[in-house]
């Protein structure tokens, strides 16, 4: 394996793990006392995909489907999501984000974006941010084309 690619992959993993932890710990958002990071991530997945099955959510979160059942149940009880049977295959059920779920996700995202900006604003210049956006946009396209 090319050493530069290995270093890039390791850095990406470390930034994702450390960055998420650091960001979440540095924000005192009452909303996060009510919803776990995993539940917020389910909302983000639904916002991105429009709808998803519990199997797809489990796959995207890298957990067993049984772990998703509890998250889905809690989010449904709080009216953040709704579950509807697939019109073509009644055995399948799709999960959708509700308006309330969209509002909760928006509040969470705004807090994250604000804190992210605060943490890096004086450490990264605009050119570097543009490079970051360009590289991650390219990576996103590549991963989408590869079906990852």
């Amino acid at each position: 394996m090319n050493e530069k690619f290995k270093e890039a992959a390791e850095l990406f993993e470390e930034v994702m793990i450390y960055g998420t932890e650091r960001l979440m710990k540095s924000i005192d958002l009452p909303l996060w006392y009510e919803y776990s990071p995993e539940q917020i991530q389910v909302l983000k997945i639904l916002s991105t995909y429009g709808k998803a099955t519990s199997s797809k959510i489990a796959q995207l979160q890298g957990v067993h489907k049984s772990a998703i059942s509890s998250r889905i149940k809690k989010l449904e009880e709080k009216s953040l999501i709704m579950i509807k049977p697939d019109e073509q295959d009644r055995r399948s059920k799709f999960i959708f984000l509700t308006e309330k779920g969209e509002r909760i996700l928006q509040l969470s995202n705004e807090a994250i974006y604000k804190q992210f900006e605060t943490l890096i604003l004086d450490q990264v210049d605009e050119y570097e941010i543009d490079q970051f956006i360009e590289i991650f946009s390219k990576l996103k396209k590549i991963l989408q084309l590869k079906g990852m």
Side-chain angles (χ1 to χ4, degrees):
M1 171 184 269
N2 182 317
E3 286 300 312
K4 283 191 176 191
F5 283 112
K6 181 180 175 189
E7 181 180 2
E10 288 174 355
L11 281 170
F12 177 78
E13 290 174 349
E14 289 172 16
V15 167
M16 292 300 295
I17 293 167
Y18 179 73
T20 301
E21 177 191 13
R22 171 81 159 80
L23 215 50
M24 299 300 259
K25 284 184 177 180
S26 67
I27 302 171
D28 185 27
L29 188 64
L31 179 76
W32 290 347
Y33 298 120
E34 190 171 348
Y35 308 106
S36 70
E38 294 81 12
Q39 290 172 329
I40 296 292
Q41 188 181 39
V42 169
L43 300 180
K44 286 183 184 212
I45 289 168
L46 294 173
S47 177
T48 300
Y49 284 84
K51 65 181 179 180
T53 62
S54 56
S55 296
K56 181 67 175 179
I57 294 169
Q59 176 190 4
L60 291 168
Q61 287 193 317
V63 296
H64 193 273
K65 191 177 171 189
S66 62
I68 295 301
S69 298
S70 172
R71 291 175 200 165
I72 297 300
K73 183 179 178 185
K74 289 176 183 175
L75 291 171
E76 186 179 30
E77 287 171 355
K78 294 178 180 183
S79 302
L80 301 183
I81 61 167
M82 62 182 164
I83 302 171
K84 292 183 180 178
D86 182 0
E87 293 178 10
Q88 279 75 37
D89 182 359
R90 293 284 188 200
R91 295 171 296 171
S92 295
K93 295 178 182 175
F94 282 109
I95 303 161
F96 296 85
L97 196 57
T98 64
E99 285 185 32
K100 182 179 178 184
E102 288 175 9
R103 285 193 307 274
I104 295 297
L105 182 57
Q106 183 180 6
L107 290 171
S108 176
N109 285 341
E110 287 172 3
I112 290 170
Y113 301 153
K114 184 177 178 183
Q115 188 64 15
F116 186 71
E117 183 179 28
T118 301
L119 288 172
I120 69 162
L121 187 62
D122 60 348
Q123 304 292 317
V124 180
D125 65 36
E126 193 164 333
Y127 174 74
E128 291 170 316
I129 293 171
D130 290 339
Q131 285 183 307
F132 179 88
I133 291 169
E134 184 179 331
I135 291 167
F136 273 76
S137 294
K138 186 174 184 176
L139 285 173
K140 179 182 172 184
K141 287 178 187 172
I142 291 168
L143 293 173
Q144 287 174 330
L145 288 173
K146 301 283 185 183
M148 300 177 96

